[in-house]
Amino acid sequence: MSNQTPASADDDPRLDVAALARVADLPLTPARAAAVEAVLSVWWRDANELSRKMSAERHRALMPVTVFTPPHGAAEDSPQS
Amino acid sequence: MTNPTELTLAEAASAVRCGELSATELVAASLDRIGRHDQVLKSFISVYEEQAREVAKAADMLTRAGHSMGPLHGVPIALKDNIAMRGLRTTAGSKVLANWLPEADATVTTRLRQAGAIFIGKTNMHEFAWGGTSANPHYGAVRNPWNTERFPAGSSGGSAVAVAARFCQGAVGTDTGGSIRLPSAINGTVGLRPTYGRVSNHGIVPLAWSMDTAGPMTRTVEDCALMFGAMAGFDANDAASARRTCDDYTRHLKAGCRHLRIGIVPGYFFEHLQKPVHDAVRAALATFVDLGAQVVEVEIDNIHGNISAQLTIESAEPSTYHQRTLRERPDDYGDDVRTLLDAGELLLATHYLQAQRYRALLRAEFMDAFASVDVFVCPSLPFAATRLGETRVAIEHGVDEDMLSAIMQFTGIASLTGLPSLNVPCGFDPDGLPIGMQIIGRPFDEATLLRAGHAFQQATAFHRQAPPLA
């Protein structure tokens, strides 16, 4: 691979799962890291593809499906909401 | 008289109401059948033998006094074991919650109890509902009653098996990515994933908050409508509960499906699936046409990508819920669920949010499509029951695929969009294994799904076949 071309997960699906787990403060043995890598190598590739699709200009206005729901029965200006 | 376990929920409720059959006899027949067959099928984690008999006696006293608790009076119902029952062990299929005794009922438990249901037990499931096989490492692998060497799907595998095996007239399941519809299809039963927010999740151990639902699993669509009517409705204890009046789900059940416009997405619904599944769902569409419905081809431009979005959301949210326990008690999780929880911690926030943005895109496309169709019909999953223990599946000849991704091919649509979806049995493969289709509808329009499903069952006999238990 050229030094000038940054590698991506799509080019090289071997992920450093152990390093990622350290960042997440998630203890993983080498055996468990291998099991997780087998899953993540596919998930990351597909998630990156979806991210590229959703980054298209035509989707710029889309909001994620995450909402803040006021507690039922609380007034609009209630401090809990 | 017919063996009470053979009665549908509607028939059993009517027989109890009229005094032709006592709740005590009905419960005794259920318990007897569970005792004879569940050593092999492992559909229950807990069976409430003594309690169910006592409640049945009380129900019979009420009946004799001329009272009825409601539409489920005296009928044995099972709950998936991630649904809280006050003072009774609720494990969610896990070792982590093996000794959890909830202090209060879940809202669905309360509502079903108020409708007269008698809880016969709690059903086995995929650990914490995170998986589609119901091969539970702590309580045993649930087996398919049509062929005990085949898997029952999941995660509500125990609930579907309990209904298919005639252990009870109905069961409650939960569905995040397909966990009601998949085992319903694989075991030849009916299962409804309601509109997100229609049935309260209060008191149910969560999997993925933004997609979790609970719904009825039964033998017939009529039974499903009866049970759903008892479960649905606003609940102030659930922040995502919808403040919306419920329909009477049995009122228009027999109105048929003349002029119903059924949407299909030809480039997705009938691609990449086993031939018997393809043929059964195509034949079901022909039946609908015979009943006066119209099939309309619709393009959903962004339908591809739904499996990745679903896996991303359905892994990031559980990993958040389990974050502390995964660090404190990692060895108490089964291997497969632990791996999925580990993996979900290592996805990026941008992956998660792009997946949530994709949901908005997909929902908008389906909502636009509902201007020209009333429902969509598609397979529930692309294959029939695989052998027990398999983690890969061959959908196209000679190509093995990861089961978890493959099983979500068609269920992710309703899970991501929040739309209601009903599984209805629509055939059998050459090995005699059930095949199911989904009927997907507009938000809060479960009544139309139930009407279409009931019309289909009046014209076909797939739901009348029972698994050949020894």
Side-chain angles (χ1 to χ4, degrees):
Chain A
M1 184 178 293
S2 154
N3 287 338
Q4 281 73 41
T5 310
S8 77
D10 296 353
D11 301 324
D12 181 1
R14 290 169 301 164
L15 303 165
D16 191 345
V17 165
L20 288 169
R22 281 195 296 277
V23 172
D25 194 20
L26 176 69
L28 285 185
T29 62
R32 292 222 54 81
V36 172
E37 183 187 330
V39 173
L40 272 184
S41 59
V42 178
W43 287 9
W44 273 60
R45 183 196 64 206
D46 294 348
N48 285 341
E49 187 180 328
L50 187 66
S51 292
R52 280 193 291 274
K53 174 193 179 84
M54 295 311 301
S55 299
E57 184 61 34
R58 64 183 179 281
H59 299 320
R60 187 164 290 277
L62 277 172
M63 298 269 286
V65 178
T66 51
V67 292
F68 293 101
T69 312
H72 293 298
E76 285 292 316
D77 57 354
S78 155
Q80 296 104 316
S81 59
Chain B
M1 187 183 182
T2 311
N3 181 336
T5 59
E6 290 300 322
L7 297 173
T8 66
L9 189 157
E11 290 166 347
S14 171
V16 170
R17 196 165 45 245
C18 300
E20 293 168 6
L21 174 70
S22 70
T24 303
E25 291 170 303
L26 190 53
V27 163
S30 284
L31 291 170
D32 175 64
R33 193 165 171 82
I34 292 168
R36 280 189 287 127
H37 297 292
D38 209 44
Q39 288 291 323
V40 173
L41 297 179
K42 298 201 183 303
S43 67
F44 280 91
I45 289 177
S46 301
V47 177
Y48 303 140
E49 184 157 353
E50 198 174 324
Q51 177 183 323
R53 289 188 201 276
E54 288 302 315
V55 176
K57 277 186 205 167
D60 287 335
M61 284 174 64
L62 283 173
T63 307
R64 283 194 295 274
H67 298 295
S68 170
M69 292 278 286
L72 308 180
H73 182 81
V75 178
I77 298 288
L79 292 176
K80 187 175 178 179
D81 205 26
N82 56 352
I83 300 171
M85 275 189 82
R86 187 168 70 88
L88 293 172
R89 189 170 75 135
T90 298
T91 69
S94 71
K95 187 175 176 184
V96 170
L97 296 179
N99 300 310
W100 182 43
L101 303 176
E103 292 179 359
D105 281 344
T107 300
V108 287
T109 309
T110 302
R111 289 195 172 170
L112 288 167
R113 202 194 296 279
Q114 287 170 344
I118 297 177
F119 297 120
I120 200 97
K122 303 284 283 299
T123 55
N124 200 351
M125 55 185 284
H126 206 105
E127 182 179 8
F128 281 118
W130 198 179
T133 66
S134 305
N136 191 297
H138 315 294
Y139 304 98
V142 185
R143 289 171 182 261
N144 190 316
W146 294 89
N147 179 338
T148 54
E149 296 306 311
R150 301 292 179 130
F151 92 141
S155 66
S156 311
S159 291
V161 169
V163 171
R166 276 62 176 160
F167 292 158
C168 50
Q169 267 69 21
V172 181
T174 59
D175 187 316
T176 301
S179 287
I180 286 175
R181 294 160 287 162
L182 296 168
S184 295
I186 286 289
N187 293 286
T189 56
V190 172
L192 175 64
R193 175 193 166 91
T195 308
Y196 180 78
R198 176 76 295 175
V199 170
S200 172
N201 285 323
H202 176 67
I204 301 176
V205 178
L207 175 61
W209 300 286
S210 70
M211 298 198 294
D212 285 345
T213 59
M217 300 170 77
T218 55
R219 281 177 234 159
T220 70
V221 173
E222 182 184 20
D223 293 353
C224 189
L226 276 170
M227 211 172 139
F228 183 54
M231 296 169 67
F234 172 70
D235 177 17
N237 289 318
D238 177 355
S241 182
R243 254 184 209 283
R244 225 182 131 111
T245 310
C246 291
D247 293 324
D248 178 343
Y249 299 106
T250 56
R251 188 169 174 193
H252 300 295
L253 200 59
K254 294 175 182 164
C257 54
R258 195 160 187 77
H259 305 306
L260 187 77
R261 299 168 302 169
I262 298 175
I264 60 168
V265 184
Y268 192 82
F269 287 0
F270 296 99
E271 297 289 327
H272 191 59
L273 69 172
Q274 289 177 345
K275 188 173 185 306
V277 179
H278 174 281
D279 293 352
V281 179
R282 279 288 184 192
L285 285 169
T287 300
F288 278 121
V289 170
D290 289 344
L291 294 170
Q294 176 191 355
V295 174
V296 180
E297 293 194 358
V298 178
E299 289 303 319
I300 302 287
D301 293 336
N302 293 291
I303 200 163
H304 291 278
N306 77 80
I307 297 173
S308 173
Q310 186 173 208
L311 281 171
T312 297
I313 295 163
E314 197 171 332
S315 53
E317 293 188 17
S319 295
T320 309
Y321 178 76
H322 290 276
Q323 198 161 32
R324 177 174 171 177
T325 319
L326 188 62
R327 284 157 178 74
E328 291 180 351
R329 302 173 58 182
D331 294 334
D332 286 348
Y333 289 93
D335 249 10
D336 65 328
V337 169
R338 184 175 170 186
T339 300
L340 293 172
L341 291 174
D342 285 338
E345 290 231 11
L346 305 180
L347 288 162
L348 299 181
T350 47
H351 287 149
Y352 177 76
L353 285 165
Q354 293 290 27
Q356 293 287 24
R357 291 179 74 237
Y358 171 80
R359 292 177 74 174
L361 178 66
L362 189 65
R363 181 177 164 98
E365 273 207 83
F366 270 92
M367 294 307 285
D368 286 348
F370 280 123
S372 56
V373 303
D374 301 305
V375 297
F376 283 86
V377 167
C378 67
S380 291
L381 72 163
F383 53 90
T386 58
R387 294 194 182 283
L388 217 57
E390 296 283 349
T391 57
R392 301 187 68 77
V393 58
I395 295 173
E396 291 179 9
H397 189 65
V399 183
D400 269 1
E401 298 178 37
D402 172 57
M403 171 103 75
L404 185 63
S405 302
I407 207 168
M408 292 177 170
Q409 183 174 337
F410 300 115
T411 50
I413 296 162
S415 296
L416 291 165
T417 56
L419 299 172
S421 177
L422 178 72
N423 176 78
V424 181
C426 68
F428 291 89
D429 81 349
D431 294 328
L433 298 167
I435 294 168
M437 65 174 162
Q438 289 181 89
I439 308 174
I440 302 171
R442 299 182 178 95
F444 302 102
D445 193 18
E446 285 87 354
T448 297
L449 309 189
L450 294 163
R451 175 166 63 88
H454 182 70
F456 182 80
Q457 289 199 324
Q458 296 310 295
T460 58
F462 304 116
H463 62 290
R464 294 202 184 91
Q465 297 194 41
L469 292 180

